[in-house]
Amino acid sequence: TGDTLVLRPDGSVGIEPAAFVESMAPSETVRLAAILMLEAFLGRGLPAGVDPARLLPHTRHRRPDLPPTALAPLAAALLPDPEARPSPAEWLASWAEVAAVERMRVEAGRPNVLLRAGYDSHIGRVKLMQTQVNQDAMFVGARGPETLAVVADGISLSDAGRGDQASRLAVQTLAHVWSRLQPGRVASTRLVDRALVLANKAICDGSLDAADGDLTGRMPMGTTILVVHANGNRVHLAWLGDSRAYLVGPWGAAQLTADDNVSGAAFEGWCDGSARAWHPEGHALVRYLGHFDTHGEPAPFQPHHTSLVLAPGERLLLLTDGITDYIAGHEAELVQVVAETGRHGTPDMAARALVNLANGEGGGDNATAVILEYPADA
């Protein structure tokens, strides 16, 4: 192509005259370049025997400072089918496209723009036949250009209260706090943290009530949480657990969150050198709402936070694991499916398509999708 992608010491990405390694097939050249970039982002060589794409759901644990679109070209280059990967020229063009989007994003803030919202939820085909309940809960509300969206996925193993109660309490608490705020107030880490402390206490109180005040030998109820508070297209996102947020646009899709599970915690240990090896196994949650300390007192986990400005034509997708665990079997393919399905039709149509796809691929869990869109024509 005559060009090459350069990762500079300051973390920025550039395109400079050079040549790709000519001895490799183009698809392997792109994959190798993506692996080298991923290693540069993480600050160490990748673990032996692990598909590099398995690191994508955890990368933002290590690099929360990456631009919103940064993981999209990496996912495309790590697709398992060489024929599906972009050519070197296409890959360079995709980096140029996301770089242009990030430059535009800096000056794209519009506090008065109205986001479009869509959503859908289903108990899951398997759980429907087992006469179980939908333990996912969600809320979408708007006051002029201000939007609140919440997605929660209750923990199914609880025996002091139920997962659906936990997720409902979380959503109701956050919606109530939001309704009492002065309209137009800019979301902050402190504000969202306070709301999540209240939600954690509400769930813990519910567990104690269900256990008649004694949790000895009991599993308190709990839930994951994804919270989006937007003023126009300025978005603040907070989360605990493994429900995911993806940014989707004409350039593809990129995960904005990092999974709070055993695998994610082990990944952090491997990155900082406290663990010698890492393998992407372990789905049990390590952060969630409904946590008690060792003295039996409500003790909320510190949530993760990130903020961004949506560019015209972009969508923010909030998905429970009943979707992300089923619509694709490979992490890079999952990103591709999210990009393709999440972009088409209205937000309602795209949310419904994602839920239907999860059901079509097994439907073994509750599936919920909430989509916020900054319309390209706004």
Side-chain angles (χ1 to χ4, degrees):
T1 65
D3 295 322
T4 191
L5 190 69
V6 177
L7 178 65
R8 303 188 181 98
D10 64 359
S12 63
V13 175
I15 298 175
E16 298 180 359
F20 273 94
V21 179
E22 296 181 357
S23 60
M24 292 185 178
S27 63
E28 286 303 312
T29 299
V30 169
R31 184 174 184 273
L32 176 60
I35 291 172
L36 292 174
M37 288 193 69
L38 193 53
E39 290 179 335
F41 288 153
L42 300 178
R44 63 174 304 171
L46 301 191
V50 175
D51 184 337
R54 298 295 296 273
L55 281 74
L56 294 174
H58 309 296
T59 299
R60 291 191 184 274
H61 276 310
R62 180 69 167 179
R63 292 298 306 272
D65 59 324
L66 288 176
T69 57
L71 297 183
L74 292 182
L78 296 176
L79 286 165
D81 180 4
E83 297 298 321
R85 297 174 198 154
S87 69
E90 291 169 336
W91 200 55
L92 287 168
S94 70
W95 277 108
E97 182 178 11
V98 299
V101 169
E102 294 306 330
R103 287 192 295 270
M104 177 176 61
R105 192 185 308 282
V106 175
E107 300 178 355
R110 293 184 59 190
N112 295 319
V113 72
L114 300 178
L115 301 183
R116 293 175 183 166
Y119 49 86
D120 195 19
S121 185
H122 193 279
I123 186 175
R125 290 174 60 87
V126 172
K127 293 197 172 188
L128 181 65
M129 295 298 293
Q130 296 171 345
T131 65
Q132 296 189 30
V133 298
N134 191 343
Q135 299 190 59
D136 290 354
M138 64 181 177
F139 173 83
V140 180
R143 300 185 298 190
E146 182 185 6
T147 304
L148 178 72
V150 186
V151 168
D153 179 2
I155 298 173
S156 60
L157 298 178
S158 307
D159 63 0
R162 303 190 310 271
D164 60 301
Q165 293 174 317
S167 61
R168 185 175 67 250
L169 280 170
V171 167
Q172 289 175 342
T173 301
L174 285 154
H176 177 70
V177 170
W178 177 70
S179 70
R180 296 175 65 87
L181 291 176
Q182 181 179 353
R185 182 172 178 178
V186 176
S188 68
T189 298
R190 185 178 178 185
L191 184 153
V192 174
D193 283 352
R194 286 204 305 268
L196 291 176
V197 167
L198 292 174
N200 190 82
K201 186 178 186 305
I203 295 169
C204 289
D205 288 347
S207 292
L208 287 167
D209 288 344
D212 294 326
D214 184 6
L215 288 169
T216 304
R218 306 289 292 274
M219 175 70 74
M221 60 182 172
T223 182
T224 70
I225 195 76
L226 268 174
V227 185
V228 172
H229 186 194
N231 283 282
N233 65 331
R234 294 188 179 276
V235 172
H236 186 85
L237 174 68
W239 75 93
L240 290 166
D242 59 0
S243 295
R244 297 181 182 178
Y246 288 88
L247 183 65
V248 173
W251 43 265
Q255 187 173 331
L256 298 176
T257 55
D259 292 353
D260 268 334
N261 53 23
V262 171
S263 178
F267 177 81
E268 291 186 79
W270 172 76
C271 284
D272 65 25
S274 61
R276 298 182 60 183
W278 177 75
H279 196 274
E281 299 298 336
H283 299 292
L285 298 179
V286 296
R287 290 191 187 187
Y288 50 89
L289 283 179
H291 180 249
F292 290 88
D293 64 18
T294 55
H295 302 290
E297 296 295 326
F301 287 108
Q302 179 63 38
H304 307 277
H305 294 270
T306 190
S307 297
L308 70 151
V309 174
L310 292 179
E314 288 184 337
R315 291 178 172 181
L316 185 62
L317 276 59
L318 312 181
L319 309 176
T320 61
D321 63 356
I323 291 180
T324 56
D325 284 351
Y326 285 88
I327 61 175
H330 187 275
E331 285 294 343
E333 291 177 331
L334 169 61
V335 174
Q336 186 179 51
V337 173
V338 167
E340 293 174 353
T341 310
R343 284 178 53 196
H344 295 296
T346 66
D348 265 328
M349 293 169 61
R352 188 160 54 251
L354 287 162
V355 170
N356 289 343
L357 185 57
N359 272 322
E361 295 297 327
D365 199 0
N366 313 142
T368 299
V370 171
I371 299 178
L372 301 178
E373 178 191 49
Y374 177 6
D377 56 357

